[in-house]
C-alpha cells in the first residue's frame, strides 16, 4: 500500500515521504480499515517533532483519525465485519491507504455521513464535547470564551457551546476567521490581535465562566484575567508554542479551576466515556444540529501541504486528506 512515512524526527512536514509499505495485519482485538479519508491535526506535527504525549517507533505514519471501510477483523473482534463503514482513532498511522486499529477505537458511521465529514469528526468534535461536557462541566447560561475559535477544535467548541446553551465569545485572528466563528453561532467576536484582550472580553458582557484554550501564551493569560468566580479554564494545547505559567494567587482569589485535558487518553483510560460522547455527537449530527466545517481537502500524496495549512493557520475548521 501507499503511505506517508516519517523516517526521521525534527524535519517538519517537508520530511514526510510518500512510499510503498507493507499492508497492516489485524491482530487480536483489531480491525484493518481501507482508509477513504484522514483528518489532519496540530498533534500530527508534534509526532513529527517527537514531542507528542506518546512516541512512535521510526519509521511510522502520522494520523490520528480516519474514516473508511473495514477490510478484515482480528481474533476476538465482535460487532464489526468486512464492508462496515466506520470512523476510527488509531494511535498513529492514519496517513495511509490502510490502517490497523483496536476495534474499541472504531465506531460505525451512518450511511448518510460521507467519509470526509467522518474523518474530520472524531478529534475536533470529540475534544470539544468531552472537554466542555465532561471536564469543564459547561452549563446552559454560562459564558464560554473560545480561544483559537476558527481552528479545527476551536470552531467545534463554538458550535457545541452554542448548542449546549452557553453565551460564546470567540477569539480569532482577523475578520475572515471571525466570520467563520460567527457562522457557527458565536455571540461575540474579538480579534486576537486587539491591544487589550481582557478589556475586550469584559466589554462583551462581562467575565467568563469557562475558558477553552488550545492556544496558550498571552491569549490564555488575558482570558484568565477575565475569569469569573469559580470559572474553569480548560487546557487543550499550546498551538502558539508558548506554555503559560499560571499565577496560583489568581486561582486562589477567584476560586478558579485549571483543568488539564488530553482527549486521546480516554481511548485507553475511560473508553466508555468516549463512546458516550461519540454517541451523543453522531446523534446530534443525524438530527441536523451539527454543521462540520471542512475548509480544505488534499490527496494523500499532498499530506505535507495539508499539514502546513494547519501549522501556518491558513485553514479554518478541518483539513482532510482524501485517499483513493
Amino acid at each position: 500500500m501507499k503511505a506517508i512515512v516519517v523516517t526521521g524526527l525534527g524535519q517538519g512536514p517537508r520530511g514526510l515521504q510518500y512510499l510503498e509499505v507493507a499492508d497492516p495485519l489485524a491482530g487480536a482485538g483489531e480491525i484493518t480499515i481501507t482508509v477513504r479519508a484522514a483528518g489532519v491535526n496540530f498533534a500530527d506535527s508534534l509526532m513529527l517533532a517527537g514531542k507528542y504525549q506518546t512516541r512512535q517507533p521510526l519509521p511510522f505514519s502520522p494520523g490520528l483519525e480516519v474514516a473508511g471501510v473495514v477490510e478484515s477483523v482480528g481474533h476476538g473482534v465482535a460487532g464489526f465485519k468486512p464492508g462496515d463503514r466506520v470512523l476510527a482513532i488509531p494511535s498513529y498511522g492514519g496517513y495511509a491507504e490502510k490502517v490497523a486499529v483496536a476495534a474499541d477505537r472504531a465506531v460505525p458511521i451512518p450511511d448518510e455521513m460521507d467519509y470526509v465529514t467522518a474523518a474530520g469528526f472524531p478529534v475536533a468534535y470529540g475534544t470539544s464535547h468531552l472537554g466542555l461536557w465532561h471536564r469543564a462541566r459547561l452549563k446552559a447560561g454560562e459564558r464560554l470564551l473560545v480561544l483559537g475559535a476558527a481552528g479545527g477544535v476551536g470552531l467545534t467548541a463554538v458550535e457545541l457551546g452554542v448548542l449546549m446553551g452557553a453565551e460564546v465569545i470567540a477569539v480569532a485572528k482577523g475578520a475572515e476567521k471571525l466570520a467563520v466563528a460567527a457562522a457557527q453561532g458565536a455571540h461575540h467576536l474579538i480579534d486576537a490581535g486587539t491591544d487589550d484582550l481582557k478589556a475586550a472580553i469584559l466589554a462583551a458582557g462581562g467575565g467568563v465562566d469557562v475558558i477553552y484554550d488550545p492556544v496558550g501564551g498571552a491569549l490564555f493569560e488575558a482570558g484568565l484575567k477575565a475569569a469569573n468566580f469559580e470559572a474553569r479554564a480548560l487546557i487543550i494545547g499550546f498551538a502558539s508554542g508558548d506554555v503559560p505559567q499560571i499565577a496560583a494567587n489568581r486561582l486562589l482569589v477567584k476560586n478558579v479551576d485549571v483543568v488539564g485535558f488530553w482527549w486521546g487518553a480516554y481511548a485507553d483510560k475511560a473508553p466508555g466515556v468516549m463512546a458516550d460522547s461519540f454517541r451523543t455527537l453522531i446523534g446530534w449530527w443525524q438530527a441536523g444540529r451539527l454543521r462540520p466545517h471542512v475548509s480544505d481537502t488534499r490527496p494523500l500524496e499532498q499530506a505535507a501541504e495539508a499539514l502546513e495549512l494547519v501549522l501556518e493557520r491558513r485553514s479554518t475548521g478541518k483539513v482532510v486528506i482524501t485517499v483513493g
Side-chain angles (χ1 to χ4, degrees), residues 224-275:
L224 191 60
K225 291 176 182 178
N228 284 332
F229 179 73
E230 290 192 337
R232 288 87 69 202
L234 188 66
I235 307 298
I236 304 293
F238 315 103
S240 69
D242 184 358
V243 179
Q245 303 302 303
I246 300 168
N249 62 317
R250 185 168 290 119
L251 309 182
L252 182 150
V253 170
K254 291 187 177 181
N255 285 20
V256 171
D257 294 344
V258 176
V259 183
F261 179 56
W262 175 30
W263 173 78
Y266 284 83
D268 297 317
K269 302 293 185 182
V273 175
M274 180 175 278

Side-chain angles (χ1 to χ4, degrees), residues 167-217:
E167 182 181 348
V168 178
I169 304 100
V171 177
K173 183 69 170 179
E176 182 179 352
K177 291 186 175 182
L178 288 172
V180 173
Q184 293 291 51
H187 301 94
H188 308 280
L189 307 172
I190 300 175
D191 195 305
T194 189
D195 290 335
D196 190 339
L197 181 58
K198 174 192 173 184
I201 294 168
L202 296 177
V208 296
D209 302 300
V210 173
I211 301 164
Y212 180 99
D213 179 33
V215 179

Side-chain angles (χ1 to χ4, degrees), residues 11-39:
Q11 301 175 45
R14 290 301 169 179
L16 296 174
Q17 299 182 54
Y18 184 55
L19 301 176
E20 190 84 25
V21 300
D23 286 12
L25 299 176
E30 292 184 333
I31 59 176
T32 59
I33 299 171
T34 299
V35 178
R36 299 291 177 81

Side-chain angles (χ1 to χ4, degrees), residues 75-89:
H75 178 72
V77 172
F80 291 105
K81 65 183 185 304
D84 286 348
R85 302 173 77 251
V86 295
L87 62 77
I89 47 169

